[in-house]
Amino acid sequence: MPMILAANANAQGSHVGEWRHPDAWDRPAANLANAVRLAQIAEGGGFDLLFLADGNGVRNMDKPDLFAATSPSDRPGIFEPVTLLAALAMATSRIGLVATTTTTYDEPFHVARRFASLDHISGGRAGWNLVTTSNPGDALNFSHEAHVPRDDRYERAFEFAAVVKGLWDSWADDAFPQDKASGRFLDPARVHALNHHGKHFQVAGPLNAPRPPQGQPVVFSAGQSETGRELSAAMADCVFAIEGTLPRAQALYADLKGRLAKHGRTPDSLKILSGVTIIAGETAEEARRMSDELDALVPDAVALDYLNKMTGLKFKLSMLDQPFPDLDTSEIGPTAIAQAIVARARGEGMTIRQASRAILPQMAGNLFVGSATEVADRMEEWYRGHGCDGFMIAAPVVPTGLERFIRLVVPELRRRGLVRTEYEGTTLRDHLGLPRPANRFFPA
Amino acid sequence: MPMILAANANAQGSHVGEWRHPDAWDRPAANLANAVRLAQIAEGGGFDLLFLADGNGVRNMDKPDLFAATSPSDRPGIFEPVTLLAALAMATSRIGLVATTTTTYDEPFHVARRFASLDHISGGRAGWNLVTTSNPGDALNFSHEAHVPRDDRYERAFEFAAVVKGLWDSWADDAFPQDKASGRFLDPARVHALNHHGKHFQVAGPLNAPRPPQGQPVVFSAGQSETGRELSAAMADCVFAIEGTLPRAQALYADLKGRLAKHGRTPDSLKILSGVTIIAGETAEEARRMSDELDALVPDAVALDYLNKMTGLKFKLSMLDQPFPDLDTSEIGPTAIAQAIVARARGEGMTIRQASRAILPQMAGNLFVGSATEVADRMEEWYRGHGCDGFMIAAPVVPTGLERFIRLVVPELRRRGLVRTEYEGTTLRDHLGLPRPANRFFPA
């Protein structure tokens, strides 16, 4: 099975500063033309899928400076992802289309229906990324007084996923003869009403859509807690995880694959994608210069907020040019990272501004910066070392970062036989090496 | 203002028998290619909008004969409408795109978001048809034990619509400067958090999408009860109603327009579309022959079910060839229609089958059958007579019925100056003569 390449696609980008870069597309908020071109670029590069993160709320409104210099992850001006992917399905023909939807603030019948629709519209290219919603503020948009506690969210997510999967199998593949001569539109013996009665949901079914072309659209999950991992092992076809080092990625990989047997699953049935930000250059030096350029575009308010978040401190914008203060250990956040940041800032005699800038590369999560060979080496190491089955790639800036990855790194990966040279199937399941499952209610 | 033409578009058709017609597209269930071609045909004919009805459940599963010979309105194999319209937006450029969504089993934040997305994707062509859901069975797909009572549904619908409209105005039109030089992505002074606290919903806002191109996507409503009419007068831009006679249509028209003043609205601000099934022929005879052909395609189980529904009787399929029985008035449903059907069947010595066939034309609602001139005459009479501002047209069979309407009737309507000869604007509001509203939170 070749290495999976997924494009972490937000037409506003993934790096906080990238939208400001001269190469970045102008006016990225809810810009359809950008989204279409990005999808076509990824498809042109042979990517297996396009992935859209999502949330149902706008963050940081209480911090005007930060809010004004908002980042795409704060999501003030985005499309609803399933609606967008339905449009992108019409502008592409092969690439998989994966959208994020919350199980905490939506209904399984709606979610099953929307992804079944997307799968029919795209000819079998739909994927559902199941999240329980991490941003507490989203609760306030759905008549909740506060965020649903984590355990309740996950309990609900398990049941939600089971209902969605059951609904997708409502109809046998041959349930709709649509025979004009006899007037038999459907076969009443080939439908299954779910009649689910659970703790969180009662859903009669059947779904009012034929079985999706893939049988079951591909289910993604990303939670890394114990419960999150159990949910992935029980319910997901694909996991998206961000780990900063290869040993941590290997540990997660072994843990997730090891959980599958007790669910009667083979290790191959769950694909693990490692999230990475890639800045590839013609040379290593060019790549590093691009990375610095990007960090320089992060507004002060954002960099300072990140420094405060990582250290547990409360610096203000007015203090940026003051020397980093001499602090008692007890005033600093308890993490080793916080202690290390402060020690370095003091040790090198940084100002607060300099300290906030020095840690920006960490903000990108797992960052691969380098020449095509260097980047391909890292990817190969993680892939062959059982750190992942492939990568969820963010490549700032939009679109030139992705174009550069495709021009420089993809040929190198192909040369090494790590990725396929062209699409071999038509559905997302085909691309990922996941067989089309039998209908649980109408086996064979 | 010209007469509005809306295509009541379901790629499976609107007449129960039409999918069986030789001219009808094969395999209509969840068929994207059909939906795309139908949208393009309607746009080619200059229609103002494409309208998708919807429901969240499959009916008649307890009646296998009826279920097998299902009709499109029983909705076993359809697309989720917003997802479909996002795809159709990419295959069209001018026609308005209106989808139905329930206020009883969904969340205002989700609905506001999806239609804002569709409006951005389509460049200002989105419309939301608000329904409270009439099919009681849908409740069982959303963890309800029974359908929500009508008064509660409408109370919720009023609040739901107010929240959706408020969310669409979350951002001023100039809220996203996206200025690369200053790093100012948005203007914190140009966003409004709704902070809605009502009986049914608490929604903080803001919506995580820029203001839609139309400011407010066009809101449709169809309820004809007293409460339904009040909802339309308070909240809708457009009403879809089916009335079987012109005097009834005129009464509704006068009533609805008369309710607007107390909401500070002008009569022009609410458009009324009359639902009609049109079968147009080269000659009146051809049209009538086509109508009979269609009725002949209605399966026995469906025709009998309709007879039972209209009369309150309980005939079985095995009784079809028996003479229509001599019944006591008390055994028949209390409506005048029921009494008239029975009197006619007995008077003309019909079998039960013949009686079930004789009433089929009523099933189409308001039916215009005839030559181009005859159909145009009826339409002109209704329009000039203040029975409606335009028509929601179902034209069996798909697609030849719509093509025939466009080829035969539209030129006649143009000749009479009743409809425009080409699109004059780009948004659905432009087509309907509805101005783009100011933002309620950021006036001018």
Side-chain angles (χ1 to χ4, degrees):
Chain A
M1 181 62 210
M3 177 192 289
I4 296 163
L5 296 184
N8 194 346
N10 181 312
Q12 298 180 26
S14 54
H15 183 286
V16 183
E18 73 174 288
W19 70 271
R20 298 181 62 191
H21 194 281
D23 291 346
W25 277 324
D26 287 332
R27 304 199 64 79
N31 187 318
L32 179 70
N34 286 2
V36 167
R37 286 183 288 172
L38 189 64
Q40 292 172 339
I41 289 168
E43 185 168 80
F47 271 71
D48 296 290
L49 64 96
L50 199 71
F51 180 93
L52 291 178
D54 194 50
N56 284 289
V58 173
R59 307 181 202 191
N60 292 327
M61 288 185 66
D62 54 337
K63 303 172 190 166
D65 286 319
L66 190 59
F67 187 49
T70 198
S71 83
S73 61
D74 301 320
R75 303 198 177 93
I78 60 175
F79 293 102
E80 192 281 321
V82 184
T83 318
L84 177 60
L85 289 186
L88 297 185
M90 304 294 280
T92 56
S93 61
R94 288 302 194 82
I95 194 165
L97 304 165
V98 183
T100 301
T101 298
T102 178
T103 54
T104 303
Y105 304 114
D106 210 329
E107 291 283 338
F109 193 90
H110 286 317
V111 169
R113 221 189 143 192
R114 252 176 272 142
F115 283 92
S117 252
L118 183 61
D119 209 46
H120 282 288
I121 287 169
S122 64
R125 296 186 283 138
W128 170 40
N129 179 41
L130 172 175
V131 296
T132 69
T133 295
S134 58
N135 180 33
D138 290 14
L140 308 181
N141 290 326
F142 297 100
S143 301
H144 286 259
E145 285 183 17
H147 200 25
V148 178
R150 180 186 181 77
D151 286 351
D152 291 357
R153 295 206 311 271
Y154 270 93
E155 190 183 79
R156 183 178 154 109
F158 270 90
E159 193 181 330
F160 194 113
V163 173
V164 167
K165 290 174 156 223
L167 287 172
W168 281 335
D169 279 350
S170 292
W171 303 87
D173 287 317
D174 60 359
F176 291 89
Q178 304 174 64
D179 182 44
K180 286 182 173 183
S182 66
R184 199 172 169 84
F185 190 85
L186 57 83
D187 180 348
R190 305 295 280 167
V191 61
H192 178 89
L194 191 62
N195 284 317
H196 172 85
H197 295 284
K199 179 173 169 189
H200 295 272
F201 303 106
Q202 289 76 49
V203 181
L207 195 64
N208 53 351
R211 191 163 190 248
Q214 293 185 101
Q216 300 264 313
V218 179
V219 176
F220 283 65
S221 169
Q224 290 317 311
S225 65
E226 174 61 27
T227 330
R229 292 179 189 203
E230 269 306 294
L231 180 66
S232 296
M235 296 292 178
D237 303 299
C238 216
V239 166
F240 167 29
I242 300 175
E243 294 291 358
T245 69
L246 177 54
R248 289 180 56 91
Q250 288 165 327
L252 175 68
Y253 188 91
D255 178 86
L256 282 170
K257 299 271 183 177
R259 291 172 190 254
L260 296 171
K262 72 169 180 284
H263 297 284
R265 301 178 61 180
T266 62
D268 263 4
S269 70
L270 181 70
K271 307 297 181 186
I272 298 168
L273 302 185
S274 207
V276 59
T277 299
I278 294 182
I279 300 176
E282 299 278 354
T283 63
E285 295 65 40
E286 188 198 48
R288 261 165 267 285
R289 195 173 59 241
M290 288 190 293
S291 181
D292 292 344
E293 248 176 57
L294 278 170
D295 286 345
L297 291 170
V298 176
D300 288 339
V302 177
L304 186 66
D305 181 67
Y306 186 61
L307 177 66
N308 284 339
K309 199 180 292 173
M310 297 304 284
T311 57
L313 298 170
K314 288 185 177 158
F315 296 124
K316 293 189 170 39
L317 273 176
S318 56
M319 301 157 70
L320 273 180
D321 291 314
Q322 296 173 13
F324 200 95
D326 191 10
L327 298 160
D328 191 85
T329 316
S330 66
E331 297 173 79
I332 308 162
T335 65
I337 290 174
Q339 302 284 346
I341 291 169
V342 172
R344 181 179 166 204
R346 288 292 299 169
E348 299 183 19
M350 291 176 176
T351 61
I352 293 168
R353 183 195 305 275
Q354 286 167 331
S356 75
R357 295 284 154 187
I359 61 168
L360 280 178
Q362 297 176 26
M363 208 170 174
N366 190 23
L367 183 63
F368 290 1
V369 179
S371 65
T373 309
E374 287 175 324
V375 169
D377 284 349
R378 293 282 295 278
M379 294 177 78
E380 182 165 6
E381 184 189 11
W382 282 54
Y383 174 69
R384 292 207 192 277
H386 302 294
C388 61
D389 296 311
F391 296 90
M392 182 76 78
I393 298 168
V397 305
V398 179
T400 53
L402 191 63
E403 288 171 331
R404 196 179 300 110
F405 176 82
I406 291 168
R407 194 179 74 243
L408 301 176
V409 183
V410 169
E412 180 60 28
L413 296 172
R414 286 182 178 165
R415 207 149 31 232
R416 301 181 187 192
L418 291 168
V419 301
R420 50 174 172 60
T421 53
E422 53 188 30
Y423 291 107
E424 285 161 9
T426 60
T427 71
L428 177 54
R429 285 187 171 272
D430 291 340
H431 303 340
L432 300 180
L434 296 167
R436 185 178 194 272
N439 188 313
R440 70 201 64 197
F441 306 120
F442 303 97
Chain B
M1 181 61 209
M3 177 193 287
I4 297 163
L5 296 185
N8 194 347
N10 180 312
Q12 299 179 28
S14 54
H15 184 285
V16 183
E18 71 174 289
W19 70 271
R20 300 181 61 191
H21 195 280
D23 293 345
W25 277 324
D26 287 332
R27 306 199 64 78
N31 187 318
L32 179 70
N34 286 2
V36 167
R37 286 183 288 172
L38 189 65
Q40 292 173 339
I41 289 168
E43 184 168 80
F47 271 71
D48 296 290
L49 64 97
L50 199 71
F51 179 93
L52 291 178
D54 193 52
N56 284 289
V58 174
R59 310 182 199 191
N60 294 325
M61 287 185 67
D62 54 337
K63 304 173 190 165
D65 287 317
L66 190 58
F67 187 48
T70 199
S71 84
S73 61
D74 301 320
R75 304 199 176 93
I78 61 174
F79 293 101
E80 190 282 320
V82 183
T83 318
L84 177 60
L85 290 186
L88 297 185
M90 304 294 281
T92 56
S93 61
R94 289 302 194 82
I95 194 167
L97 303 164
V98 182
T100 300
T101 298
T102 177
T103 54
T104 303
Y105 304 115
D106 211 328
E107 290 283 341
F109 193 89
H110 286 317
V111 169
R113 223 189 142 191
R114 252 176 271 140
F115 283 92
S117 254
L118 182 62
D119 209 45
H120 282 288
I121 288 169
S122 64
R125 296 186 284 139
W128 170 39
N129 180 40
L130 172 177
V131 297
T132 68
T133 296
S134 58
N135 180 32
D138 290 13
L140 307 180
N141 290 327
F142 298 100
S143 301
H144 286 258
E145 285 182 18
H147 200 25
V148 178
R150 181 189 179 76
D151 286 351
D152 292 357
R153 295 207 310 274
Y154 271 93
E155 189 183 79
R156 185 178 153 108
F158 270 90
E159 193 180 331
F160 194 114
V163 173
V164 167
K165 292 175 154 219
L167 287 172
W168 282 334
D169 280 348
S170 292
W171 302 86
D173 288 317
D174 59 0
F176 291 90
Q178 304 175 65
D179 182 46
K180 287 182 172 182
S182 66
R184 199 173 170 83
F185 190 84
L186 57 82
D187 181 348
R190 306 294 281 167
V191 59
H192 178 91
L194 192 63
N195 285 316
H196 172 85
H197 295 283
K199 178 172 171 190
H200 296 271
F201 304 106
Q202 289 76 49
V203 181
L207 194 64
N208 53 352
R211 191 164 190 246
Q214 294 185 100
Q216 300 265 311
V218 179
V219 176
F220 282 65
S221 169
Q224 290 316 312
S225 66
E226 174 61 27
T227 330
R229 292 180 188 202
E230 270 305 294
L231 181 66
S232 296
M235 296 293 179
D237 303 300
C238 215
V239 166
F240 167 29
I242 300 176
E243 295 291 357
T245 68
L246 178 53
R248 288 179 57 90
Q250 288 165 325
L252 175 68
Y253 189 90
D255 177 85
L256 281 170
K257 299 270 184 178
R259 288 171 192 253
L260 297 172
K262 71 169 180 282
H263 296 284
R265 301 178 61 180
T266 62
D268 263 4
S269 69
L270 181 72
K271 307 297 180 184
I272 298 168
L273 302 185
S274 208
V276 59
T277 299
I278 295 181
I279 301 176
E282 299 278 354
T283 62
E285 296 64 39
E286 188 198 47
R288 262 165 264 285
R289 194 173 61 242
M290 289 188 294
S291 181
D292 292 343
E293 250 176 56
L294 278 171
D295 287 344
L297 292 170
V298 175
D300 287 340
V302 176
L304 186 66
D305 180 68
Y306 185 61
L307 177 66
N308 284 340
K309 198 179 296 174
M310 297 304 285
T311 57
L313 298 170
K314 289 184 176 157
F315 296 124
K316 294 188 170 43
L317 273 174
S318 57
M319 301 157 70
L320 273 179
D321 292 313
Q322 296 173 12
F324 200 97
D326 192 10
L327 297 160
D328 191 88
T329 315
S330 66
E331 298 173 79
I332 308 163
T335 65
I337 291 175
Q339 302 284 345
I341 292 169
V342 173
R344 180 176 166 206
R346 287 293 300 170
E348 299 184 19
M350 292 178 177
T351 62
I352 293 168
R353 183 194 306 275
Q354 288 167 331
S356 76
R357 295 282 154 188
I359 62 168
L360 280 179
Q362 297 176 25
M363 208 172 174
N366 190 23
L367 183 63
F368 291 1
V369 179
S371 66
T373 309
E374 286 175 324
V375 170
D377 284 350
R378 292 285 292 279
M379 293 176 78
E380 181 165 7
E381 183 189 11
W382 281 55
Y383 174 69
R384 292 206 191 279
H386 302 294
C388 62
D389 296 310
F391 296 90
M392 182 76 78
I393 297 167
V397 303
V398 179
T400 52
L402 191 64
E403 289 171 331
R404 195 179 302 108
F405 176 82
I406 290 168
R407 193 178 74 244
L408 300 176
V409 183
V410 169
E412 180 62 27
L413 296 174
R414 287 182 178 166
R415 208 152 27 234
R416 300 181 187 192
L418 291 169
V419 300
R420 47 174 176 60
T421 52
E422 53 188 28
Y423 291 108
E424 285 161 10
T426 60
T427 71
L428 178 53
R429 283 187 172 273
D430 291 342
H431 303 340
L432 300 180
L434 295 167
R436 185 178 193 271
N439 188 314
R440 70 199 66 196
F441 305 120
F442 302 98

